Amino acid sequence: MASLVKPWRPALILLLPLWLSGCGEEVEVIDLGPLETPENYNDISPSVPAWPREVKSPEEIASRYSSITLAVHRPGERQPRHLQVPLEGELVDGTSHLTARDYLPAFLIRQRTITSDGVEEKNPAAYVTWFEGEQLIFEGWLFRDYPSFNPPRSEGFQLELLSAQ
């Protein structure tokens, strides 16, 4: 019997005072009515941005890396295409228009700033925009080591950061 109680001992120790304090007492339930959302609820913007806005790339990164290679997969294609996009540049491939704004080999958020903790590839990420015709397929950070972290939201499209040169 003691062996059955032993694994449950921490839970019993925590729950016993709660159970004892509630014994014999009645609880009053107060109806607060329906929940109402203020009319201008969606117009209210927070005073502090939820995500860091400023990107500071150390100068050594620009001298070491000039482009990134992306795996671009469109609906109906059997294999993804490997495309090299210049950093702070753009690439037009058929109906695809890709831009690579920033590359950070050691992506790091420090206070309200996105930066890189050096030039060695510890957590590589690139800020990429992908338009297919007029349709925005993706805009945001791609992480080489975590390809499923921030995928395109358009069905059938896939985008992956492969490397930086």
Side-chain angles (χ1 to χ4, degrees):
M1 180 73 166
S3 65
L4 291 174
V5 174
K6 203 171 198 177
W8 293 95
R9 187 180 302 178
L12 291 174
I13 290 171
L14 292 173
L15 293 175
L16 187 60
L18 291 173
W19 180 72
L20 290 175
S21 68
C23 286
E25 293 184 26
E26 290 186 26
V27 177
E28 182 181 351
V29 177
I30 301 172
D31 184 10
L32 298 175
L35 177 66
E36 294 182 17
T37 304
E39 287 180 30
N40 63 344
Y41 178 77
N42 290 328
D43 299 335
I44 299 171
S45 62
S47 59
V48 178
W51 186 254
R53 305 283 172 142
E54 185 178 16
V55 177
K56 285 190 177 179
S57 182
E59 291 179 20
E60 344 34 285
I61 292 173
S63 63
R64 188 164 183 180
Y65 301 101
S66 60
S67 66
I68 59 171
T69 302
L70 300 171
V72 176
H73 193 232
R74 297 178 193 97
E77 293 181 340
R78 297 182 124 201
Q79 297 291 325
R81 297 175 56 140
H82 292 195
L83 303 174
Q84 191 169 348
V85 182
L87 290 174
E88 297 184 29
E90 62 184 340
L91 174 73
V92 177
D93 179 57
T95 59
S96 294
H97 183 250
L98 296 143
T99 60
R101 188 186 75 193
D102 297 295
Y103 175 72
L104 301 173
F107 183 92
L108 174 72
I109 298 176
R110 191 175 277 148
Q111 294 176 348
R112 303 209 57 77
T113 304
I114 298 172
T115 188
S116 185
D117 189 24
V119 295
E120 298 303 318
E121 292 184 308
K122 297 177 189 171
N123 184 27
Y127 193 91
V128 175
T129 305
W130 177 15
F131 279 92
E132 195 65 39
E134 298 292 320
Q135 181 184 1
L136 177 64
I137 302 299
F138 178 83
E139 181 175 21
W141 288 99
L142 288 176
F143 294 86
R144 183 195 69 192
D145 299 338
Y146 306 98
S148 62
F149 180 68
N150 192 17
R153 302 205 190 284
S154 299
E155 192 169 326
F157 291 91
Q158 294 176 357
L159 185 62
E160 188 177 337
L161 173 62
L162 298 177
S163 62
Q165 302 75 33

